[in-house]
Amino acid sequence: MTALLELQNVHTYYGHIHALKGVDLHVNQGEVVTLVGANGAGKSTTLRTISGIAKPKPGKILFEGKDITGMKPHEVSALGIGHVPEGRRIFPLLTVRENLEVGAWSVKSHADIEDRMAYAFTLFPRLKERLAQKGGTLSGGEQQMLAIGRALMAQPRVLLLDEPSMGLAPVLVEIIFEIIQTINAQGTTILLVEQNALMALEVAGRGYVLQTGSVVKHAVARDLLSDEAIRKAYLGEH
């Protein structure tokens, strides 16, 4: 079976910093796959490289078997790969509606845009209540909902989620993770980077452990959850 998304021997540099060192991973249709690792391990760089923000040198990225290495971010997005970056990156001076409309930049039909917005509201009813409100005046949790909703406006085949729970109260973290599971159950494949490794591994089917830019372990999530070394290193157990 051809993987929906695949990285082959991906190396990524920021100037002279060798951020990714030969990363190999794959994500199959319908999966939730998570990347586990300490800060600076290369998790966010992996997502940025897939979405075209960073360029692999060398290495190859395949989507549905097609080589997309070196494509620009808007080209990657148009293919069906959505990216919710760390820190949300919503447009603070635009309204909730305008932020969502930006996510549908490639959609020509006004009716389609309204349908997709209605779907976003089924996941995030709070956004409908805030439709005319400026993005920058939303709470942290609402901004995260808006960032995910904006990405879903393009109806991505794969959603790259970078630290969706960062800075959120525990009750909101649970809501966000329930929504991640709902999005996946409705057909969207997810590659998840998340500081809360325990929650990430509980919703994922498989996980990759990154250390200083390299994959050091790959297993089904339940095996990683029961691995003593993983529990000590990433799940806060001693």
Side-chain angles (χ1 to χ4, degrees):
M1 182 176 72
T2 302
L4 182 60
L5 177 66
E6 185 173 5
L7 276 63
Q8 298 178 351
N9 190 35
V10 167
H11 293 254
T12 301
Y13 291 82
Y14 293 127
H16 296 297
I17 298 169
H18 197 175
L20 296 184
K21 303 168 184 172
V23 168
D24 291 293
L25 65 82
H26 70 277
V27 183
N28 296 320
Q29 172 69 42
E31 283 193 299
V32 177
V33 174
T34 189
L35 305 181
V36 175
N39 287 340
K43 306 185 301 296
S44 294
T45 299
T46 300
L47 300 192
R48 289 167 60 85
T49 303
I50 293 167
S51 65
I53 298 167
K55 307 297 180 189
K57 294 178 183 177
K60 188 178 285 188
I61 302 170
L62 304 175
F63 182 58
E64 297 183 305
K66 175 186 176 183
D67 190 348
I68 65 168
T69 315
M71 281 190 174
K72 294 180 172 64
H74 72 275
E75 296 170 328
V76 174
S77 171
L79 286 174
I81 299 177
H83 187 184
V84 181
E86 181 181 353
R88 295 146 203 161
R89 307 283 174 84
I90 59 144
F91 297 102
L93 298 181
L94 298 185
T95 64
V96 166
R97 172 181 280 280
E98 289 164 343
N99 268 279
L100 292 171
E101 288 172 345
V102 168
W105 63 271
S106 62
V107 183
K108 301 294 183 271
S109 162
H110 179 72
D112 282 350
I113 291 172
E114 291 301 314
D115 285 346
R116 294 181 188 196
M117 209 172 283
Y119 169 64
F121 297 150
T122 67
L123 295 169
F124 306 111
R126 208 175 300 184
L127 293 183
K128 189 172 185 179
E129 300 166 10
R130 307 278 192 272
L131 206 53
Q133 200 168 319
K134 293 274 200 302
T137 66
L138 301 178
S139 70
E142 290 165 348
Q143 288 188 17
Q144 187 63 67
M145 294 173 187
L146 180 55
I148 296 172
R150 181 179 64 187
L152 292 174
M153 289 292 289
Q155 292 188 337
R157 300 276 310 284
V158 178
L159 187 62
L160 311 177
L161 278 174
D162 197 351
E163 302 286 11
S165 81
M166 183 179 282
L168 301 186
V171 64
L172 282 173
V173 172
E174 290 199 10
I175 290 170
I176 292 293
F177 270 85
E178 285 171 7
I179 288 164
I180 289 169
Q181 290 175 287
T182 300
I183 293 165
N184 177 246
Q186 293 174 350
T188 303
T189 303
I190 294 172
L191 181 57
L192 171 66
V193 164
E194 170 55 51
Q195 60 181 353
N196 188 330
L198 179 61
M199 289 196 78
L201 288 168
E202 285 177 345
V203 302
R206 292 186 299 115
Y208 290 85
V209 181
L210 270 69
Q211 282 182 9
T212 57
S214 299
V215 174
V216 295
K217 194 173 185 68
H218 163 228
V220 297
R222 64 177 174 272
D223 289 348
L224 291 175
L225 276 169
S226 62
D227 184 307
E228 189 176 344
I230 299 297
R231 296 186 74 86
K232 284 182 177 176
Y234 306 113
L235 304 184
E237 295 192 1
H238 301 289

